[in-house]
Structure formats: C-alpha cells, structure tokens
Amino acid sequence: MRIAVLGAGAWGSALAIALGRKHGVTLWGRDAAQMQAIAASRINQKYLPGVTLPDALSVTASFSEALAGADLALIVTSTSGLADMISATLAETTMAKTALPIVWACKGFDKLTGKLPHETVAELVPPGALYGALSGPSFAEEVARGLPCALALAANDQAFAAKIAGALNNNVLRVYSSADLIGVELGGALKNVIAIAAGISDGMQLGLNARAALITRGLAEMVRLGVAMGGKAETFMGLTGMGDLILTATGDLSRNRKVGMLLADGKSLGDILRDIGHVAEGVNSAAAALALAQKHGVNMPITEAVNAVLFHKADPRDALKALLAREAKAE
C-alpha cells in the first residue's frame, strides 16, 4: 500500500516511520524549507530531534507529489486544521479522478465549531466516501524509536475499518478495528481534559492516590458523555478510552499533563502554551466537552473544574479542593 502522511509534526513523522516498515510512505509538510532540511539530514530536528528517518521514506513539500499514486491519505494535523486538509485532499484527488480513502490521527474538537472530527469530515466528503480515525495511547517519540504501541481504527464502514487496520498492523504498531467512531473520537478528546486535572494534582504533589481517583472518576465522566452521545460504554474501557487516559494522565511526555502541572505552579495559560510550543488539545477540548455535557444533561465535575481553571481564573488549589469536598454518594 502507498500511504501519503499529510502533516510533518512529531506524530506525523513518527507514524510515517512506523508505517514505512511495511508500506511505501511519503511524508508531506507545508513548510518547504523544513521539508528540504528533513530530506537532507533525514532528521525532523524541530519535532523529533535525534530520530533518523529511514532512507526509504519519501519527504516532500509538494501536495500533488505526496498524493500521486497513494492508496490512503493519513491526515496528521491538529483538529483545527483537519477541515482544510480534507478539502485540499478532495480537490487534489478529484482532479486525478480517484476516490481516496481518508484516515485522520488528530484528537479533540474543532476549536470554532465544537464538532468531533468525523462530524467535520462527513460534511465535506461525497456520499459513499470511506473515512476513519486512528487513535489510542501513543507518544510520538516512542513510536518513532520503534517501541511497541497499540492503536484503534474506527471508520464509517466496518469492513473498511477492518481492512485498513489489518494493513497498518505490523510487529511494532498493533492496530485494532472498531465500529464505534463516536466513542473512539470522544475518548481521544476527553482524556486530554482529565489529564490536565491529573497534572494539576501532580503539580500540587497530592500523591498517587489522588491521581488514581481523578483518572477513575474522569473515566466515569467520559463514559457518561460518550453513552449520551451514542458511543458504546465498552469502547471507553479499551485503547482509546482507558488506555489513552492512563498514558496521558501519567506519562512525563504528556503535553496536557504538563499544562496542568504548570498551572499548579502558578504559570498563566498563555505563557504555558507559548513555552510548550506544541498543540495541547485538552485546552481546546475542555470548553467543547463542557458545552456537550450541558447539552446532554451529563454531570462532569472534573471537566467543570478544569474549565474554571483554564478560562475563569480559578485557583487550581481551590478547584481541586472543591472536587474533594463534594458530597459523598454511591459510585
């Protein structure tokens, strides 16, 4: 299979490396100077320093070149950039008279519309188009270094999901198929919000017990909203729910956990995001998640607390104390 990986950030580069072990892969990025530097040095110095790209991996800043002869477009941008990439891909493949299946590997809600990725995509693609989301517990650096990772691929067509998951699966990157597109995408979006709360707890040095409680009750929030929106509860017990939540809420490489830790340290959100230099999707997802909770009548106190800290200048210590002081009830 020939795969066009559209997006040359850390995750796009890591997936291109991992999938290139089995398939012909072209990595595309919009910054021509950056892509020329990567092609010359075989290192994505900006996003994956120290990791060498294999010689067989093609690198280009030409969109048409990346998609020429591709069997699959794998979009690895931020969620806010997904719509533009879908439109550009459709325009390019329409000119080539090909119907190219599309998979995306971004997590979160659209910052402007609050929609999940598949809702955005469904409005843009023609009837009968095949598309899906690749998600799960995955730090780009580890995947790029060839360490084992397991992901799930959910699609609008179950046979397509099984086919692409089987094709992408290899001895390092294990890919499972799913028919629950809503659950898979919600898991990937909501876990980032809970990870910010866990980071606040860790930054306040409240201990492992408190972190475990936040993860567990956070997962319960994710399930409640997921089921209310049509997802399956069991999806949240898998890779894209519990698995991704555990990784993001505990791992030192987690940007969202780092946001929480720096908030607990008294730093402003603006300074934190500037210093991190990467997208922390949990910040964008927090407000959208709370709006959906209110729309569907779902109680999400941890998500409410994270929103209060992020956008309403609530003191992180007061927000967590309020959570701990909530009236006891049956689990």
Side-chain angles (χ1 to χ4, degrees):
M1 178 184 290
R2 293 206 56 80
I3 303 172
V5 176
L6 307 177
W11 189 217
S13 300
L15 282 173
I17 293 170
L19 296 175
R21 296 185 177 95
K22 183 177 177 181
H23 301 284
V25 176
T26 298
L27 175 64
W28 172 86
R30 67 176 71 253
D31 187 329
Q34 179 196 11
M35 300 313 289
Q36 288 173 359
I38 293 173
S41 67
R42 307 307 297 175
I43 295 175
N44 188 338
Q45 190 61 41
K46 183 176 181 180
Y47 294 108
L48 278 179
V51 178
T52 301
L53 276 63
D55 292 338
L57 176 60
S58 299
V59 177
T60 184
S62 168
F63 200 65
S64 58
E65 181 181 323
L67 289 172
D71 302 301
L72 177 71
L74 177 56
I75 298 176
V76 197
T77 63
S78 65
T79 306
S80 60
L82 179 61
D84 287 344
M85 287 304 303
I86 292 288
S87 297
T89 301
L90 290 174
E92 182 66 35
T93 53
T94 297
M95 287 190 292
K97 295 183 170 59
T98 59
L100 190 63
I102 296 172
V103 171
W104 54 90
C106 50
K107 303 171 184 178
F109 302 92
D110 185 281
K111 188 176 181 179
L112 296 178
T113 66
K115 294 177 180 177
L116 286 165
H118 79 272
E119 296 176 303
T120 299
V121 173
E123 294 177 351
L124 297 172
V125 299
L130 296 172
Y131 56 80
L134 184 66
S135 188
S138 47
F139 286 145
E141 181 181 325
E142 293 190 359
V143 171
R145 288 167 48 206
L147 298 178
C149 174
L151 303 172
L153 192 147
N156 63 333
D157 179 271
Q158 193 165 0
F160 171 68
K163 176 184 175 182
I164 298 300
L168 300 185
N169 189 70
N170 60 42
N171 61 347
V172 173
L173 195 67
R174 185 158 185 81
V175 184
Y176 296 81
S177 64
S178 170
D180 186 8
L181 196 48
I182 293 174
V184 163
E185 288 198 324
L186 274 176
L190 298 176
K191 57 89 182 179
N192 287 328
V193 181
I194 306 304
I196 292 175
I200 293 173
S201 178
D202 287 347
M204 293 170 59
Q205 298 183 341
L206 296 185
L208 300 179
N209 294 338
R211 183 208 282 172
L214 280 169
I215 291 173
T216 306
R217 298 312 303 159
L219 180 61
E221 290 190 12
M222 291 164 60
V223 173
R224 287 198 295 269
L225 181 59
V227 171
M229 291 181 61
K232 299 177 181 178
E234 55 265 32
T235 299
F236 294 88
M237 300 301 115
L239 289 167
T240 57
M242 187 191 310
D244 213 355
L245 173 60
I246 291 171
L247 180 72
T248 312
T250 65
D252 290 337
L253 294 175
S254 167
R255 293 192 295 269
N256 293 284
R257 176 173 175 265
K258 186 175 183 180
V259 167
M261 294 181 72
L262 292 174
L263 286 169
D265 200 35
K267 290 183 170 55
S268 72
L269 180 60
D271 288 345
I272 291 169
L273 297 180
R274 185 191 66 241
D275 293 344
I276 287 178
H278 294 264
V279 175
E281 290 283 9
V283 175
N284 293 337
S285 295
L290 184 57
L292 286 170
Q294 294 167 345
K295 176 182 177 180
H296 293 276
V298 175
N299 186 31
M300 299 184 73
I302 298 175
T303 301
E304 289 179 14
V306 170
N307 271 274
V309 173
L310 289 175
F311 307 119
H312 304 293
K313 298 184 179 179
D315 187 289
R317 288 161 179 77
D318 293 338
L320 273 191
K321 286 178 182 177
L323 281 175
L324 295 172
R326 284 169 56 85
E327 181 179 351
K329 59 182 181 180
E331 185 176 20

